[in-house]
Amino acid sequence: MLFTGDPSKLLEKRIILMRLYRSINLDWFARKVQRQIYRKHHCDISRKAQIGHGFSVGHAVSIVIGGEAVIGDNVIIFQNVTLGGPHKDRTGMPTIGNNVIIYSGAVAVGDITIGDNVMIGANAVVTKDVPADTVVVGHNRFVQKSSMR
């Protein structure tokens, strides 16, 4: 059976299935999988979001990914993460680079770009562009990874 075992792996399989249906213009099936993700995992992941290969979920609970969000390859997201646009105008969503880790409770909103090899700490709020090889803590506080050694 395809959908058994770890809830996080199950969510990842459903996201791959949703992406597959969308790529072959079966939007009705993609919408059905999107609703299933919402009901089973309490995650609001838009079928229109562009999610790269190797996408991984640490805990499949309360993840929100907006419709225009772009997520690179090998990205890991933990629970209660929001990637979306400002509520008022709903334009501009985050673009996440490759090899990014986003920890619990982090929020990235607006038309921002998060570079490759970035680590976003728990409960961080990101509203500005983040350069590559950076750790984000708190509200828009960036620390270069090279200075941490």
Side-chain angles (χ1 to χ4, degrees):
M1 190 169 182
L2 179 64
F3 299 126
T4 60
D6 180 21
S8 297
K9 298 300 173 198
L10 177 60
L11 175 61
E12 292 167 16
K13 289 177 183 178
R14 285 186 169 131
I15 290 170
I16 291 168
L17 190 61
M18 185 173 61
R19 189 173 55 197
L20 173 70
Y21 285 147
R22 180 115 167 103
S23 71
I24 57 175
N25 294 322
L26 292 175
D27 201 47
W28 184 83
F29 288 109
R31 208 168 338 148
K32 187 172 178 165
V33 174
Q34 180 183 6
R35 284 193 302 263
Q36 196 175 45
I37 288 170
Y38 185 76
R39 271 195 326 271
K40 302 273 184 185
H41 303 280
H42 306 288
C43 295
D44 187 8
I45 300 174
S46 175
R47 66 188 181 280
K48 296 178 182 177
Q50 297 175 33
I51 300 174
H53 298 285
F55 177 77
S56 181
V57 176
H59 299 285
V61 178
S62 190
I63 297 170
V64 178
I65 300 175
E68 295 175 20
V70 177
I71 299 174
D73 296 334
N74 304 315
V75 172
I76 301 171
I77 293 181
F78 287 88
Q79 71 271 15
N80 299 322
V81 168
T82 300
L83 305 175
H87 184 34
K88 206 176 239 182
D89 56 9
R90 289 191 170 97
T91 58
M93 298 271 180
T95 299
I96 312 295
N98 299 322
N99 306 312
V100 174
I101 302 174
I102 305 174
Y103 285 101
S104 305
V107 177
V109 291
D111 188 13
I112 60 173
T113 301
I114 296 173
D116 295 340
N117 306 310
V118 169
M119 185 184 303
I120 300 176
N123 297 316
V125 177
V126 184
T127 58
K128 297 179 181 175
D129 289 346
V130 179
D133 301 312
T134 303
V135 176
V136 180
V137 294
H139 185 139
N140 290 325
R141 297 195 55 182
F142 309 140
V143 178
Q144 288 297 117
K145 282 186 179 178
S146 59
S147 67
M148 293 176 58
R149 294 183 182 148

